[in-house]
């Protein structure tokens, strides 16, 4: 796994957890076929932004994605996440003659020695929910002493 490689060779590793903000409203307004088109377009944008030979982009379920960034420290991951967030925010996605605009909330977690892959996933997800609770369309880095936020609905 990438965490094992990061541990063995001492390289940086970061994880982004991303969620399309208010995705249910897109399905409700335009229908599920349009929602699928938006998911496909958003996934394409994420893949296009990633380094295909290094980064790993995956859809976790629903409207949530994760991007694993090997050889990327916390600062680099935050910068990448913000570029991605701004790019999506300014992208019009064509759906049945309409231009749909969506935003994303992002949580960022950098790997630390002694951390399990599961803990990294949980921490990235906690940062994502904090971004949503703080108003969405933002990037938040995991902080161990951050005030917990209630899980926000999509």
């Amino acid at each position: 796994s990438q965490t094992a490689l990061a541990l063995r060779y001492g390289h940086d590793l970061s994880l982004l957890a991303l969620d399309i903000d208010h995705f249910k409203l897109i399905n409700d307004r335009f229908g599920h076929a349009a929602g699928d088109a938006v998911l496909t377009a958003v996934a394409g944008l994420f893949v296009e932004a990633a380094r295909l030979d290094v980064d790993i982009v995956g859809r976790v379920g629903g409207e949530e994605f994760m991007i694993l960034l090997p050889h990327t420290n916390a600062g680099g991951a935050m910068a990448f996440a913000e570029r991605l967030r701004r790019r999506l925010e300014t992208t019009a996605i064509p759906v049945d003659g309409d231009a749909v605009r969506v935003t994303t909330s992002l949580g960022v977690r950098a790997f630390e020695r002694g951390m399990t892959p599961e803990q990294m996933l949980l921490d990235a997800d906690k940062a994502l929910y904090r971004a949503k609770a703080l108003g969405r369309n933002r990037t938040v880095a995991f902080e161990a002493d951050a005030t917990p936020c209630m899980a926000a609905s999509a």
Side-chain angles (χ1 to χ4, degrees):
S1 79
Q2 289 295 326
T3 52
L5 290 171
L7 257 178
R8 173 176 271 179
Y9 298 109
H11 66 72
D12 291 315
L13 177 68
S14 293
L15 180 66
L16 308 183
L18 310 88
D19 197 279
I20 300 172
D21 296 328
H22 304 293
F23 183 71
K24 184 180 181 315
L25 296 177
I26 293 166
N27 278 334
D28 291 348
R29 180 173 174 200
F30 298 101
H32 289 280
D36 289 347
V38 169
L39 283 172
T40 300
V42 169
L45 187 142
F46 292 166
V47 167
E48 188 179 294
R51 299 167 299 176
L52 292 181
D53 57 334
V54 178
D55 302 334
I56 300 168
V57 179
R59 182 174 168 206
V60 180
E63 67 278 3
E64 189 171 347
F65 296 82
M66 290 207 168
I67 303 176
L68 191 63
L69 304 170
H71 305 285
T72 306
N73 64 20
M78 286 294 289
F80 174 82
E82 265 303 290
R83 282 192 310 273
L84 195 58
R85 186 192 63 74
R86 285 193 305 270
R87 185 167 173 204
L88 183 58
E89 178 182 53
T90 59
T91 299
I93 300 169
V95 175
D96 295 334
D98 282 310
V100 177
R101 291 189 180 271
V102 295
T103 59
T104 187
S105 298
L106 300 99
V108 177
R109 180 57 161 131
F111 178 73
E112 295 177 7
R113 203 169 259 298
M115 173 184 291
T116 65
E118 294 79 14
Q119 189 60 53
M120 191 175 190
L121 288 167
L122 288 171
D123 290 351
D125 211 43
K126 285 177 189 172
L128 165 62
Y129 279 105
R130 186 161 177 75
K132 292 171 77 162
L134 291 171
R136 300 178 196 262
N137 192 26
R138 67 188 64 229
T139 302
V140 172
F142 174 80
E143 296 175 35
D145 57 354
T147 305
C149 291
M150 295 300 293
S153 62

